[in-house]
Amino acid sequence: MTAQRNEGRTAPAGSSETVAQDSLAPEVPSARERARAIPEAAVARLAVYLRVLSTMAEQGVTTISSEELAAAAGVNSAKLRKDLSYIGSYGTRGVGYDVEVLVDQIERILGLTRKHSVAVVGIGNLGHALANYGGFPGRGFPVAALFDVDPDLMGVPVGGIPVEHVDDIPTVCAEREVTIGVIATPPAAAQLVCDRLVSAGVQCILNFAPVVLQVPDDIEVRKVDLAVEMQILSFHVARRADEATEHEASADAATRANGARVAAADQVGVRR
Amino acid sequence: MTAQRNEGRTAPAGSSETVAQDSLAPEVPSARERARAIPEAAVARLAVYLRVLSTMAEQGVTTISSEELAAAAGVNSAKLRKDLSYIGSYGTRGVGYDVEVLVDQIERILGLTRKHSVAVVGIGNLGHALANYGGFPGRGFPVAALFDVDPDLMGVPVGGIPVEHVDDIPTVCAEREVTIGVIATPPAAAQLVCDRLVSAGVQCILNFAPVVLQVPDDIEVRKVDLAVEMQILSFHVARRADEATEHEASADAATRANGARVAAADQVGVRR
DNA sequence: CGTTGTGAATTAGTTCACAGCA
DNA sequence: TGCTGTGAACTAATTCACAACG
């Protein structure tokens, strides 16, 4: 609904890529253009590598091979090296990578050198939990504003920030230069809140509400959807059960027995 | 790093597919085998279609075309039809799909006809919020147990379920036939908790802790990682900023001005 | 007709495998 | 010698485009 949308945009697909700009400026794979070239899937993994590397650094590790880092991140080393190659060549052949250098470079690519002010909308169970993280995960994401509609919450500080009314989203967000909006409202309110955030100049939205948001296509939306996650898991349980009944003749306990065969699931790629 | 892993398994890739079984039983693309064939990405979207369809049904909609459903789900219609085709042919050419039929079929494929008992481990901010949902999203996921290490929490009911000690995970989970474990502990405790859940027979894990879990490869793990999500958004903010400075000559306000061009972002596919 | 269902074409992402370098 | 960086090969996912059909 609210379907003024237009999925099929104008471009006939399979045409552009680096196009859409003037044909002057021959080729500048600068840091800017380089960034565009990083596959979406790789970006998600870079964030994981960053965390692993930070942990390593804390433990005093200064150098690490692709094999080691890959194991710790739950991916294979070829993928890891390919991912790192998107951001440049910072390894030393025969040796590995300098942990600190890698941390710096990944932070640079992910734009973590900037501060990204965050607004959380919907201070219920979840919003409360989010606000209490006080300065989002990994720092660099200060919570600049909280919003709700509940009159009882107005002015009440959560995690040190007073709750304001959702009607004030446009003014407050614009004023505090919020770039990331987090929606933790009931589903019915999500689209309205989203529209306000967008009109306030917010560029990216993290949506916890179980609805599909309609947004201008220059707004980046990521969603975290509990129900979907649970149902995907349910699917796998079901598939497994089916397989079991399928060939329920052969070894059964035999398979279950060697529960020691540990292999880091590729949890990085959002899917397997 | 607990790295007994072995990413490169034995199979030389590009060999199997439907293999690995006896060559008798010629070909049975039964519901079971059919399930195996559904692309992971499609499964995630089916869950979204299901929600949209349920909402539709509530509103009295009985029939819907691929174009309409696709719009509401934020995907294009070709993808939607392809996704639905994985589960069977339930549409009527020239007409569309019967909403109720589709709901039933998707629920069947996702295994939502079964009950999946859930255990939540780590009753902090987030765990508390999760437990309070009381019976996870969309029903069918009853919370059967809560665990923590905090002595003050032992026996305290949260969302109607008393908190038990993590040491009891193996016995309690096995006893109550928990199939899905939710980890909402601090990162340091996550792997240990995960190991216990696995030894208790839990098949799938939803991990909110910012660590890469090492699990036997017959365990399905999905992760929800706030920090990663925020950093992906950060990346996009940064890229955008770079692009802006890039060709800061031409129209600037012009682009920002027509903020009305709404197009449902493809929020379904976990990525774009 | 109008819309589904699906092979074929395309694009994105992963893995292989090895040349090249410290 | 050992490990990175990457072209080439492969696999997965998406999109096209149209025949089939109620």
Side-chain angles (χ1 to χ4, degrees):
Chain A
M1 304 114 229
T2 317
Q4 325 92 294
R5 48 164 309 294
N6 66 325
E7 194 68 40
R9 10 285 164 65
T10 333
S15 60
S16 55
E17 175 88 317
T18 324
V19 190
Q21 221 155 302
D22 58 333
S23 40
L24 301 175
E27 273 296 343
V28 190
S30 59
R32 304 86 177 75
E33 262 309 316
R34 161 80 58 59
R36 158 109 52 131
I38 303 179
E40 189 71 16
V43 173
R45 288 191 297 265
L46 284 170
V48 174
Y49 304 154
L50 176 58
R51 182 167 52 231
V52 172
L53 287 165
S54 301
T55 308
M56 295 286 184
E58 273 170 30
Q59 293 171 357
V61 179
T62 57
T63 292
I64 194 168
S65 70
S66 63
E67 202 66 54
E68 294 169 311
L69 179 51
V75 300
N76 69 43
S77 62
K79 195 190 286 184
L80 176 111
R81 288 200 301 278
K82 179 70 86 178
D83 287 344
L84 292 184
S85 79
Y86 294 128
I87 68 173
S89 297
Y90 302 106
T92 307
R93 290 164 200 244
V95 179
Y97 301 89
D98 181 279
V99 173
E100 207 170 331
V101 168
L102 230 40
V103 166
D104 288 348
Q105 293 305 323
I106 296 177
E107 285 185 340
R108 179 180 57 82
I109 288 290
L110 294 182
L112 302 179
T113 45
R114 290 175 171 74
K115 280 266 176 290
H116 302 273
S117 293
V118 175
V120 178
V121 188
I123 312 302
N125 265 329
L126 180 59
H128 217 272
L130 295 174
N132 272 323
Y133 278 158
F136 262 69
R139 208 49 29 142
F141 297 97
V143 176
L146 303 177
F147 299 98
D148 204 301
V149 283
D150 185 346
D152 295 348
L153 279 174
M154 295 306 116
V156 174
V158 177
I161 315 279
V163 178
E164 297 171 75
H165 197 276
V166 291
D167 287 345
D168 298 328
I169 288 176
T171 50
V172 173
C173 286
E175 181 183 304
R176 299 183 199 164
E177 294 181 304
V178 169
T179 49
I180 298 179
V182 176
I183 298 177
T185 65
Q191 183 64 54
L192 179 64
V193 162
C194 174
D195 293 344
R196 290 208 185 137
L197 287 170
V198 170
S199 71
V202 165
Q203 303 179 315
C204 299
I205 289 174
L206 182 55
N207 179 32
F208 286 89
V211 288
V212 178
L213 297 176
Q214 312 284 136
V215 294
D217 61 6
D218 60 339
I219 302 293
E220 184 75 21
V221 176
R222 306 262 327 161
K223 73 167 204 298
V224 173
D225 192 325
L226 228 353
V228 168
E229 295 299 329
M230 296 301 284
Q231 291 172 5
I232 294 171
L233 291 178
S234 168
F235 169 81
H236 288 289
V237 173
R239 180 164 62 61
R240 190 157 315 186
D242 286 343
E243 275 168 9
T245 47
E246 188 98 343
H247 41 77
E248 57 189 351
S250 57
D252 186 305
T255 315
R256 249 265 144 258
N258 67 346
R261 199 183 57 229
V262 176
D266 184 347
Q267 300 156 31
V268 165
V270 186
R271 67 193 45 151
R272 283 195 197 231
Chain B
M1 309 253 93
T2 320
Q4 323 94 294
R5 47 164 309 296
N6 65 324
E7 195 69 41
R9 12 289 165 60
T10 334
S15 60
S16 56
E17 175 89 315
T18 323
V19 191
Q21 221 155 301
D22 58 333
S23 41
L24 301 173
E27 272 297 342
V28 191
S30 60
R32 304 88 177 73
E33 262 308 317
R34 159 82 57 60
R36 160 108 54 126
I38 304 180
E40 188 72 15
V43 173
R45 287 190 298 263
L46 283 171
V48 174
Y49 304 154
L50 176 58
R51 181 166 54 230
V52 172
L53 286 165
S54 301
T55 308
M56 294 286 184
E58 274 171 28
Q59 293 171 358
V61 179
T62 58
T63 292
I64 193 168
S65 71
S66 64
E67 202 67 52
E68 293 169 311
L69 180 50
V75 301
N76 68 45
S77 62
K79 194 190 286 184
L80 175 112
R81 288 199 301 277
K82 178 70 86 178
D83 287 343
L84 292 184
S85 80
Y86 294 128
I87 69 173
S89 294
Y90 303 107
T92 307
R93 290 166 199 243
V95 179
Y97 302 90
D98 181 279
V99 173
E100 209 170 330
V101 169
L102 230 40
V103 166
D104 288 349
Q105 292 304 324
I106 295 177
E107 284 184 341
R108 179 180 58 82
I109 289 289
L110 294 183
L112 301 180
T113 46
R114 290 176 171 74
K115 278 266 176 289
H116 302 274
S117 292
V118 175
V120 178
V121 190
I123 312 301
N125 264 330
L126 180 59
H128 217 272
L130 295 174
N132 272 323
Y133 279 158
F136 263 68
R139 208 47 34 142
F141 297 98
V143 175
L146 302 178
F147 300 98
D148 204 301
V149 283
D150 184 347
D152 295 348
L153 280 174
M154 295 308 114
V156 175
V158 177
I161 316 278
V163 177
E164 297 171 76
H165 198 276
V166 291
D167 287 345
D168 299 329
I169 288 176
T171 50
V172 174
C173 286
E175 183 182 303
R176 300 183 199 164
E177 294 181 306
V178 169
T179 49
I180 298 179
V182 176
I183 299 178
T185 66
Q191 184 62 55
L192 179 64
V193 162
C194 174
D195 293 343
R196 290 210 184 135
L197 287 170
V198 170
S199 71
V202 165
Q203 302 179 315
C204 299
I205 289 174
L206 182 55
N207 179 32
F208 287 89
V211 289
V212 178
L213 297 177
Q214 312 284 135
V215 295
D217 60 8
D218 60 339
I219 302 293
E220 183 75 20
V221 176
R222 307 263 324 163
K223 73 167 203 298
V224 173
D225 191 325
L226 229 353
V228 168
E229 295 299 330
M230 296 300 285
Q231 290 172 5
I232 293 171
L233 291 178
S234 168
F235 169 80
H236 288 288
V237 173
R239 180 163 62 61
R240 190 157 316 187
D242 286 343
E243 274 169 10
T245 47
E246 190 98 344
H247 39 76
E248 58 189 352
S250 58
D252 185 303
T255 313
R256 249 262 149 261
N258 66 346
R261 201 184 55 229
V262 176
D266 184 346
Q267 300 157 31
V268 165
V270 185
R271 69 193 47 153
R272 285 196 191 228

